Amino acid sequence: MDIQLTRFMRGKLENTQTLFHRYMFSRIHWNRQMFGLVGPRGVGKTTMFLQYIKEHYDERRMFYVTADHVYFSTHSLLELADEFSREGGQQLFIDEIHKYANWSRELKQIYDSYPDMMVAFTGSSILDITKGEADLSRRAPIYQIQGLSFREYLSLYKKIEMPVYTLDDILNHKAEIHGVPHPLPLFSDYLKQGYYPFAGDPEFEMLLHQSVTQTMEVDIPQYANMNPSTGRKLKKLLSVIAQSVPFKPVMDSLATIIGVSRNVLPDYFLFMEKAGMIGQLRDSTGGVRGIGKVEKVYLDNTNLAYLLAEESTDIGNIRETFFYNQMRVTTDVISSRISDFEIGGKTFEVGGKKKGKKQIESAQEGYVVRDDIEYGTDNIIPLWAFGLTY
């Protein structure tokens, strides 16, 4: 294989730690002929591939490359795959696939031409992956990964290990952080700077700002064939969302604020949702995975909320954002007609430690989710416990 690519791979592997694995690591079927791993920027997709390679490394059969390497200015993915196959290669990992022109067509050709070769690829944005021209749906399942759960944050940064708890475990007060009698200080740290695996970097805020800018001004406009000025309007729209409590968007007023037609706003919201910038809570007509009507809009996670809203951060917004962000990974969260959220017929009202039960009195099975409490009782559940589900 090309000596520059080989050196690049070895350098990346040398700097990869394998002590901590994201939740998705064990869910991937690594021996499939082809699969993709997508998600928001900065959630650890590259690291996951490098960890797998490092733990199973065989120089003759495994190779890692990033699709924006200078090598591809004069070579194609097909040429790389052909050379790799002739040298006995079996597992090819391609990072940042969306940065390579005609990537979907060439992946399809590689799939058809080299049936004995496993090909895995990542994309920094699900927008790019879903736009592929060739039909890869029957060939390559796409795994979607989110940021760190509170549980993963505790494992990665505090070396506190615990099992995954189901929603039923949490509602039956079985969730606990062993050896930590006072979880609230750790939870507060996570809300502000714990969702992304680079949270330990001293330049965390700057890196997150850069990620947001790249997503809003480059990724989405590139996907949707927008001009740069539209990308700046998207960023303004994100700022409006950040400074609002969870709200149902009023398209006319939003369109006036950012200077666009109200007819394009639903598409803008959908692009931002898929790119990992916002979350849209839908009603029971379709749920979070369906086509239900949007009832509320949040920033995607609490780290973004603290970063973008700054001094105007609303604590009620933070609480609801956390609950929705964490629970959507393992459950179908929808809006409630009488309260904040509904999951599988169960109603959840989220608030502070003095939040009462009035809004769930008519619920068939209702729970009060309180922040600022260490432990719960009966149908009162501490908010932090919902961060232990993945």
Side-chain angles (χ1 to χ4, degrees):
M1 298 300 292
D2 181 85
I3 187 63
Q4 289 186 339
L5 290 180
T6 301
R7 287 175 178 170
F8 176 79
M9 176 182 68
R10 289 174 177 169
K12 297 286 283 186
L13 291 174
E14 287 176 3
N15 293 313
T16 299
Q17 62 81 24
T18 59
L19 296 177
F20 170 80
H21 293 94
R22 291 299 318 281
Y23 75 97
M24 186 60 70
F25 192 91
S26 62
R27 301 184 185 184
I28 292 175
H29 295 286
W30 293 95
N31 292 321
R32 288 193 65 98
Q33 184 181 343
M34 183 175 286
F35 66 86
L37 177 64
V38 302
R41 287 180 173 271
V43 296
K45 301 180 296 295
T46 298
T47 298
M48 194 177 303
F49 272 17
L50 292 170
Q51 286 177 327
Y52 181 83
I53 296 170
K54 191 167 186 175
E55 293 175 350
H56 302 83
Y57 189 48
D58 183 335
E59 187 172 356
R60 294 169 298 178
R61 68 181 184 88
M62 305 180 79
F63 203 74
Y64 166 89
V65 66
T66 182
D68 61 350
H69 195 281
V70 67
Y71 170 88
F72 292 109
S73 62
T74 56
H75 299 81
S76 68
L77 280 174
L78 278 170
E79 290 174 329
L80 176 71
D82 181 66
E83 181 180 354
F84 187 48
S85 177
R86 285 187 282 105
E87 294 183 5
Q90 298 176 12
Q91 293 181 295
L92 178 61
F93 297 82
I94 307 169
D95 207 4
E96 305 269 40
I97 191 70
H98 60 279
K99 295 183 178 180
Y100 181 91
N102 299 318
W103 59 268
S104 59
R105 293 179 184 177
E106 292 201 28
L107 283 182
K108 177 180 179 297
Q109 193 164 342
I110 292 171
Y111 181 96
D112 295 336
S113 301
Y114 306 99
D116 294 330
M117 183 187 300
M118 185 281 284
V119 179
F121 57 91
T122 73
S124 292
S125 169
I126 192 172
L127 302 178
D128 300 301
I129 297 301
T130 57
K131 195 184 179 185
E133 296 178 5
D135 179 17
L136 292 173
S137 60
R138 292 176 291 105
R139 297 172 174 83
I142 304 298
Y143 296 96
Q144 298 184 33
I145 184 172
Q146 303 296 333
L148 296 175
S149 66
F150 180 41
R151 172 185 167 275
E152 288 185 302
Y153 167 77
L154 292 174
S155 175
L156 177 59
Y157 289 107
K158 306 301 179 182
K159 309 306 177 187
I160 300 172
E161 302 295 338
M162 72 197 74
V164 169
Y165 291 100
T166 66
L167 177 59
D168 284 343
D169 290 336
I170 294 169
L171 300 183
N172 287 294
H173 305 287
K174 295 180 180 179
E176 58 180 335
I177 304 175
H178 300 292
V180 179
H182 305 294
L184 293 180
L186 294 173
F187 183 53
S188 178
D189 290 343
Y190 168 82
L191 293 177
K192 295 175 181 176
Q193 192 169 312
Y195 187 67
Y196 297 91
F198 57 91
D201 194 295
E203 302 295 339
F204 171 77
E205 288 193 6
M206 182 185 72
L207 292 173
L208 188 52
H209 263 299
Q210 291 175 349
S211 178
V212 170
T213 298
Q214 185 75 8
T215 299
M216 302 303 292
E217 296 187 3
V218 178
D219 290 351
I220 296 177
Q222 187 178 63
Y223 164 79
N225 295 318
M226 300 172 177
N227 57 45
S229 64
T230 305
R232 290 189 288 273
K233 290 178 180 178
L234 285 175
K235 198 171 180 182
K236 185 175 181 179
L237 176 58
L238 188 67
S239 178
V240 172
I241 295 171
Q243 295 173 24
S244 307
V245 296
F247 73 108
K248 184 170 183 176
V250 179
M251 296 303 179
D252 288 333
S253 60
L254 284 174
T256 300
I257 292 172
I258 66 173
V260 299
S261 167
R262 73 177 306 281
N263 295 328
V264 302
L265 282 178
D267 286 340
Y268 286 4
F269 277 105
L270 185 59
F271 296 156
M272 293 164 66
E273 181 180 37
K274 289 185 176 180
M277 291 291 103
I278 66 171
Q280 298 190 91
L281 180 67
R282 295 170 171 83
D283 66 17
S284 59
T285 61
V288 69
R289 297 181 180 87
I291 56 174
K293 183 172 64 176
V294 174
E295 293 295 332
K296 289 183 181 179
V297 177
Y298 302 89
L299 288 178
D300 180 78
N301 60 80
T302 60
N303 290 185
L304 284 177
Y306 276 108
L307 179 81
L308 299 176
E310 299 176 342
E311 67 276 359
S312 63
T313 301
D314 179 83
I315 188 60
N317 191 351
I318 291 294
R319 290 163 178 156
E320 290 186 35
T321 297
F322 170 79
F323 183 92
Y324 180 49
N325 169 270
Q326 297 285 282
M327 295 310 298
R328 69 183 180 183
V329 175
T330 57
T331 67
D332 190 358
V333 187
I334 60 176
S335 63
S336 169
R337 290 180 287 103
I338 60 175
S339 188
D340 291 323
F341 304 99
E342 183 179 319
I343 301 175
K346 300 176 177 66
T347 301
F348 297 87
E349 174 70 14
V350 180
K353 61 182 178 181
K354 295 182 180 180
K355 169 63 70 173
K357 300 182 180 183
K358 183 176 181 180
Q359 288 178 274
I360 63 169
E361 287 178 351
S362 61
Q364 184 173 358
E365 184 177 352
Y367 297 88
V368 175
V369 180
R370 289 182 181 172
D371 192 11
D372 298 323
I373 64 170
E374 293 182 338
Y375 304 99
T377 181
D378 192 26
N379 66 340
I380 297 174
I381 314 295
L383 180 62
W384 59 262
F386 292 89
L388 309 180
T389 59
Y390 71 92

